[in-house]
């Protein structure tokens, strides 16, 4: 079977607090949706392993890893909005290890596309600090694994979460081996992700930010991904595609201001799959980031899996509309002006 998910009960045990939006019910709702008969046959299930201390230091300061380790068995507030419960450290170790298991499955031919359905999320976590509900940077560690253990040289990270993936961007800001593409509501938390943030040194051009005003829906997102991500990927030719899949862009999300429906999300999945199929034998690993509407999470994850399985939920007329629309957010002119020297296909 070509599709796998990585899941584990431990991810339901990380609990940052009773009124916290990043709560266990998020994954409970996704897991129970994926057990329904219309979808349960479409994927196989993998169990995560724990990441080791050494693996975590590929992306994090050893002192910081120890700080998180010391929260084991305790409730600790690590950042204004990031807290642990007694099992959070174990969950965080397995959220990272889920990435490695997923990549192992992809590179051993067990699966083509893998979705790691984990908590805590990761894309805000920086080298030496927890941030924005994130402890360790799951997707950045996936990229480090691909560089170090699989010997890859060109990895594309696509971050469609509502928020900018500041931690991931910082991890590879000076690297030309990892191309970080992010679309995000701006100005908004965490404040980074301007178009002018393009990378430094050898990494110049390998960070592509598309900050968007609140209110963007399926057509605006389709345009951004078709007109910016596709041409950039066409030039970069990734050997692996990683996705920070956050579903807080969903129209009913309590933290977000975007208007994307599960149909629009399926279209984003369609495009990243298209990139992976064209350039790297379908090698695609998605990992769950944000998304705080329980219904939005269940519907969106299902829409992504249906799309990956070739059983698209996108109606034909909607697909045509998304493929032809010219509903360009204004910022794309600026993105092209800055990035066309690095990515000729953009001009
Ligand atoms: Zn988010």
């Amino acid at each position: 079977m070509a599709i796998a998910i990585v899941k584990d009960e431990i991810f339901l045990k990380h609990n940052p607090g009773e009124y916290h939006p990043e709560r266990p019910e998020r994954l409970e709702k996704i897991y129970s949706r994926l057990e329904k008969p219309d979808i349960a046959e479409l994927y196989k299930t993998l169990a995560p392993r724990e990441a080791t201390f050494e693996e975590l230091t590929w992306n994090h300061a050893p002192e910081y890893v120890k700080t998180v380790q010391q929260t084991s068995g305790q409730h600790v507030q690590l950042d204004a909005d990031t807290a642990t419960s007694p099992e959070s450290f174990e969950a965080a170790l397995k959220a990272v290890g889920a990435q490695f298991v997923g990549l192992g499955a992809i590179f051993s031919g067990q699966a083509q596309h893998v979705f790691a359905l984990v908590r805590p999320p990761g894309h805000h976590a920086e080298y030496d600090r927890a941030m924005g509900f994130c402890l360790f940077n799951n997707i950045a560690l996936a990229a480090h694994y691909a560089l170090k253990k699989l010997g890859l040289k060109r990895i594309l990270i696509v971050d469609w979460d509502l928020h900018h993936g500041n931690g991931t961007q910082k991890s590879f800001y000076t690297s030309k081996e990892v191309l970080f593409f992010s679309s995000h509501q701006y100005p908004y938390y965490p404040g980074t992700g301007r178009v002018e943030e393009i990378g430094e040194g050898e990494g110049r051009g390998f960070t592509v930010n598309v900050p968007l005003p609140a209110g963007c829906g399926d057509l605006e997102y389709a345009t951004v991904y078709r007109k910016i991500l596709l041409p950039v990927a066409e030039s970069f030719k990734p050997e692996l595609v990683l996705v920070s899949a956050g579903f807080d862009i969903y129209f009913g999300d309590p933290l977000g201001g975007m208007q994307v429906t599960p149909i629009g999300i399926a279209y984003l999945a369609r495009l990243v799959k298209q990139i992976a199929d064209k350039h790297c034998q379908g090698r695609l690993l998605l990992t769950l980031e944000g998304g705080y509407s329980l219904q939005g999470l269940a519907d969106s994850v299902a829409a992504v899996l249906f799309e990956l399985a070739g059983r698209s939920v996108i109606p034909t007329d909607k697909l045509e509309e998304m493929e032809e629309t010219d509903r360009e957010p204004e910022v794309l002119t600026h993105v092209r002006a800055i990035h066309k020297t690095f990515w000729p296909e953009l001009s």
Side-chain angles (χ1 to χ4, degrees):
M1 209 188 287
I3 299 173
I5 65 167
V6 190
K7 65 180 267 193
D8 198 282
E9 293 298 306
I10 189 68
F11 301 133
L12 308 174
K13 293 180 178 160
H14 162 60
N15 191 348
E18 203 179 338
Y19 301 104
H20 202 288
E22 204 290 277
R23 56 199 204 272
E25 289 82 358
R26 297 177 59 236
L27 263 190
E28 281 167 15
K29 184 87 179 180
I30 293 173
Y31 287 176
S32 71
R33 172 66 187 90
L34 297 189
E35 281 166 14
K36 298 243 167 76
D38 62 330
I39 200 165
E41 304 302 315
L42 297 183
Y43 59 86
K44 64 174 151 190
T45 303
L46 305 170
R49 68 166 171 89
E50 290 187 358
T52 65
F53 186 89
E54 195 210 327
E55 287 165 342
L56 295 169
T57 63
W58 293 339
N59 195 69
H60 295 287
E63 301 70 36
Y64 171 66
V65 177
K66 282 179 201 153
T67 302
V68 182
Q69 190 171 26
Q70 282 157 7
T71 71
S72 184
Q74 299 185 66
H75 294 274
V76 178
Q77 194 76 31
L78 287 170
D79 160 75
D81 49 24
T82 314
T84 68
S85 56
E87 283 157 304
S88 296
F89 177 62
E90 189 187 342
L93 289 182
K94 286 196 173 166
V96 174
Q99 317 295 317
F100 304 158
V101 167
L103 288 174
I106 290 170
F107 280 82
S108 67
Q110 273 179 280
Q112 229 181 352
H113 316 313
V114 177
F115 202 151
L117 293 164
V118 304
R119 301 175 54 252
H123 73 155
H124 295 304
E126 297 196 344
Y127 178 69
D128 56 3
R129 65 167 171 156
M131 198 177 148
F133 318 163
C134 302
L135 298 181
F136 299 129
N137 195 315
N138 305 320
I139 198 102
L141 282 154
H144 284 293
Y145 183 93
L147 293 168
K148 285 187 201 318
K149 297 291 172 182
L150 303 169
L152 302 192
K153 297 280 181 230
R154 289 187 315 281
I155 298 157
L156 170 63
I157 300 180
V158 176
D159 188 328
W160 75 48
D161 187 277
L162 176 85
H163 303 94
H164 182 241
N166 57 293
T168 314
Q169 170 170 303
K170 270 196 186 174
S171 291
F172 303 107
Y173 209 54
T174 59
S175 167
K176 64 179 166 87
E177 297 182 324
V178 179
L179 196 169
F180 179 63
F181 174 95
S182 176
S183 59
H184 40 272
Q185 185 172 329
Y186 188 90
Y188 204 51
Y189 183 88
T192 47
R194 291 174 305 117
V195 181
E196 294 80 7
E197 294 166 29
I198 61 166
E200 273 172 17
E202 277 200 337
R204 274 174 66 81
F206 292 84
T207 291
V208 180
N209 281 304
V210 185
L212 296 168
C216 291
D218 295 353
L219 296 183
E220 288 82 3
Y221 268 83
T223 310
V224 167
Y225 278 72
R226 239 184 46 237
K227 294 190 162 185
I228 305 295
L229 178 65
L230 282 190
V232 168
E234 194 59 35
S235 303
F236 181 64
K237 298 184 174 38
E239 297 169 301
L240 169 68
V241 180
L242 303 175
V243 179
S244 267
F247 299 103
D248 33 15
I249 56 175
Y250 175 72
F251 67 91
D253 192 272
L255 301 191
M258 294 306 186
Q259 297 294 327
V260 185
T261 73
I263 302 283
I265 285 163
Y267 187 69
L268 302 185
R270 184 182 187 87
L271 294 184
V272 293
K273 173 177 156 53
Q274 195 176 308
I275 292 168
D277 286 343
K278 177 161 186 195
H279 296 286
C280 46
Q281 298 100 57
R283 298 197 288 242
L284 173 64
L285 173 73
L286 303 98
T287 191
L288 182 66
E289 300 283 2
Y292 306 96
S293 155
L294 299 184
Q295 195 62 46
L297 284 163
D299 293 350
S300 301
V301 171
V304 168
L305 288 178
F306 279 125
E307 191 65 40
L308 298 181
R311 301 240 318 254
S312 184
V313 300
I314 309 173
T316 317
D317 57 334
K318 267 289 262 185
L319 181 60
E320 277 173 17
E321 200 183 359
M322 289 191 286
E323 286 189 328
E324 287 161 15
T325 177
D326 243 340
R327 183 100 55 98
E328 262 202 41
E330 246 174 78
V331 70
L332 296 204
T333 309
H334 190 191
V335 174
R336 272 194 206 93
I338 285 195
H339 278 285
K340 68 182 181 204
T341 49
F342 306 107
W343 309 108
E345 309 265 348
L346 272 181
S347 49

